[in-house]
Amino acid sequence: MLNIAVVGSGRGSNFQAILTAMQQGNVPGARICLVVSNNSGAGILEIARTNALPAVHLSQTQFPDEQAFAAGMVNLLHEHGADFIVLAGYMKRVPREVVRAFRDRMVNIHPALLPKHGGKGMYGLHVHEAVIAARERLSGATVHYVDEEYDHGRIVLQRSVPVFAEDTPETLAARVLEAEHALYPDAIRQLAALHAAEVVR
Ligand code: GRF
């Protein structure tokens, strides 16, 4: 069984999509062991509590420095038996020590077709503004492994959506988000199957 910790900062609609897919039996071999947010009022924590899942508020402000924060995060993840991390709308940089501890075992979702329109500052509506400004005909979502650089790790899976001439960043964001909600559970299903194969080997 792949124990997944979900880390996010906001409303948690991707987490909800993943959870629903799991509850429907569509992600065999994986379960949520922990939900972490840097924001105590985040919807993602609320969703976890509603579903009786461990929900923890963990923020850099609770620690003297970044190193202590990173160690606190790794400890928390280990305490809950996490062997995989799913970032779902986490608005902070993941500390390097956590990236190292979960190398090839942490993924993120980005609301564009990487390697285009990613990197520092490319979050929320900024991404969709950039896609429209570049007159792209296609956008979409990307699930990728997390490394030390923003939106940079190996791509796991992508799903595209059309960009229409009349799109605003908001209408495009809504179309991409719908694609994310199908893509992320799909990607996690594949990753869980891969993990099961690795454990058997
Ligand atoms: C999504 O658009 C995702 O691509 C980005 O942050 C947003 C999170 O939304 N990384 P939600 O909290 O899952 O609703």
Side-chain angles (χ1 to χ4, degrees):
M1 186 59 75
L2 189 67
N3 276 325
I4 296 176
V6 179
V7 182
S9 305
R11 68 195 154 186
S13 71
N14 275 287
F15 168 49
Q16 180 65 69
I18 293 164
L19 198 56
T20 302
M22 285 180 173
Q23 287 163 349
Q24 291 171 344
N26 292 331
V27 193
R31 62 186 279 273
I32 305 294
C33 65
L34 172 68
V35 176
V36 183
S37 181
N38 59 303
N39 172 6
S40 61
I44 198 166
L45 289 179
E46 206 43 54
I47 297 169
R49 289 191 199 105
T50 305
N51 287 277
L53 292 166
V56 177
H57 170 224
L58 191 84
S59 148
Q60 164 106 44
T61 58
Q62 299 158 340
F63 296 87
D65 54 36
E66 219 216 334
Q67 227 179 337
F69 171 57
M73 195 186 261
V74 171
N75 282 343
L76 177 70
L77 291 160
H78 285 154
E79 266 165 35
H80 287 266
D83 34 38
F84 207 92
I85 303 179
V86 164
L87 302 182
Y90 188 53
M91 298 300 285
K92 301 277 179 187
R93 186 194 275 277
V94 179
R96 212 173 313 129
E97 292 78 2
V98 181
V99 175
R100 279 206 204 108
F102 286 85
R103 173 105 39 219
D104 295 327
R105 290 183 296 136
M106 172 161 29
V107 290
N108 179 43
I109 190 160
H110 182 77
L113 296 176
L114 293 175
K116 283 184 169 182
H117 309 298
K120 198 165 163 47
M122 278 296 168
Y123 62 89
L125 288 180
H126 299 304
V127 180
H128 308 295
E129 281 160 10
V131 168
I132 290 170
R135 299 183 180 280
E136 303 284 5
R137 306 286 294 274
L138 278 182
S139 190
T142 303
V143 174
H144 64 93
Y145 285 100
V146 174
D147 65 12
E148 283 81 355
E149 286 175 54
Y150 276 119
D151 305 324
H152 179 263
R154 200 153 31 92
I155 290 171
V156 177
L157 213 57
Q158 291 184 306
R159 191 176 174 115
S160 56
V161 302
V163 182
F164 300 122
E166 62 275 21
D167 265 330
T168 62
E170 289 79 7
T171 58
L172 181 56
R175 194 174 309 119
V176 170
L177 189 64
E178 209 179 307
E180 290 181 44
H181 294 165
L183 179 71
Y184 224 172
D186 258 9
I188 294 168
R189 180 183 326 123
Q190 292 190 15
L191 291 165
L194 202 71
H195 177 83
E198 274 169 9
V199 169
V200 168
R201 215 187 303 139

